[in-house]
Amino acid sequence: GQQLNQSPQSMFIQEGEDVSMNCTSSSIFNTWLWYKQDPGEGPVLLIALYKAGELTSNGRLTAQFGITRKDSFLNISASIPSDVGIYFCAGHYFGNEKLTFGTGTRLTIIP
Amino acid sequence: DTEVTQTPKHLVMGMTNKKSLKCEQHMGHRAMYWYKQKAKKPPELMFVYSYEKLSINESVPSRFSPECPNSSLLNLHLHALQPEDSALYLCASSPWGVGGKETQYFGPGTRLLVL
């Protein structure tokens, strides 16, 4: 099935650095969701966005719903070791029964 | 509380076995989902139940059989699986049902190994 283009594919950063990742689509969405997944666990919902231009924070995480409705961004400030994992974006179009997932961004923190 | 529970956490089965995966949510969510996830890939949708009725089957082989006994429970019955079916199986639920604002909450998953 269709997947969203998510970048970067992987990131290697030092603790304390800020992180930015994004998701782009060729079609518009009404909802953008951001998830974090630890190995062997299910994805955990971090932030849900429902309005173009919306900027929402959850602690050190901030996500934005792009004005064009075709993209979304996730920023993590002052990264800590527990931020390690895979981050997935997911888009949803009203009336559709499915989410479209991004390809994932793997975040690794270098000691 | 946004908890979706899944049992078992791990499952090893032979190709001739019959087993079932269970999922439960007590949040009054109207839609429930089964996904399959391979390593380093996003979840792949298998089935969607909306108001306890099967609304989507993503051309999943018949060796996977979903069941929704009531609005809180979702089962996935497994029979005659193949080694390539080994994966993490995720259950999810959504409060809005299909067609509304979508917010899906995932369970912890069942790690399945088919020998």
Side-chain angles (χ1 to χ4, degrees):
Chain A
Q2 179 193 1
Q3 291 181 358
L4 303 176
N5 187 21
Q6 191 171 340
S7 65
Q9 187 175 0
S10 58
M11 303 183 74
F12 296 86
I13 62 167
Q14 292 189 317
E15 185 175 348
E17 285 187 34
D18 296 344
V19 170
S20 291
M21 61 189 78
N22 69 82
C23 227
T24 58
S25 169
S26 57
S27 51
I28 62 173
F29 289 114
N30 299 111
T31 298
W32 283 97
L33 305 173
W34 284 93
Y35 292 91
K36 176 179 182 278
Q37 187 172 23
D38 292 330
E41 298 293 329
V44 173
L45 182 64
L46 300 173
I47 293 179
L49 302 159
Y50 298 114
K51 190 175 176 181
E54 179 181 357
L55 187 71
T56 298
S57 293
N58 178 5
R60 294 177 297 105
L61 278 60
T62 302
Q64 184 160 24
F65 194 136
I67 288 291
T68 66
R69 296 170 63 193
K70 292 183 178 182
D71 55 10
S72 181
F73 307 85
L74 177 69
N75 296 314
I76 306 173
S77 62
S79 58
I80 59 177
S82 61
D83 292 333
V84 166
I86 300 180
Y87 291 81
F88 289 105
C89 63
H92 177 257
Y93 188 76
F94 186 83
N96 197 332
E97 294 181 294
K98 310 176 194 179
L99 292 181
T100 303
F101 280 89
T103 47
T105 294
R106 179 180 293 273
L107 180 63
T108 302
I109 293 185
I110 307 167
Chain B
D1 184 15
T2 54
E3 187 179 28
V4 177
T5 59
Q6 289 186 244
T7 55
K9 179 74 172 169
H10 302 278
L11 181 61
V12 180
M13 58 187 291
M15 289 189 282
T16 58
N17 292 158
K18 285 186 181 180
K19 296 286 185 184
S20 296
L21 309 185
K22 296 186 184 304
C23 174
E24 193 165 0
Q25 56 89 12
H26 293 289
M27 299 173 280
H29 288 182
R30 294 176 169 84
M32 296 184 76
Y33 309 78
W34 280 115
Y35 288 87
K36 173 183 177 181
Q37 188 179 28
K38 290 284 201 178
K40 301 182 183 179
K41 298 290 187 183
E44 282 179 55
L45 184 65
M46 299 174 72
F47 303 103
V48 179
Y49 274 83
S50 180
Y51 295 91
E52 302 172 44
K53 291 194 181 339
L54 183 65
S55 60
I56 290 183
N57 175 341
E58 288 285 274
S59 301
V60 178
S62 59
R63 57 186 185 268
F64 296 91
S65 175
E67 178 195 19
C68 188
N70 60 55
S71 59
S72 300
L73 293 174
L74 189 65
N75 298 322
L76 186 63
H77 303 297
L78 314 173
H79 174 54
L81 294 194
Q82 304 297 310
E84 59 265 28
D85 296 322
S86 299
L88 182 67
Y89 287 84
L90 296 163
C91 174
S93 70
S94 169
W96 305 108
V98 295
K101 275 186 181 179
E102 186 65 352
T103 308
Q104 286 189 23
Y105 298 92
F106 285 85
T110 294
R111 172 70 63 189
L112 174 66
L113 177 62
V114 182
L115 300 176

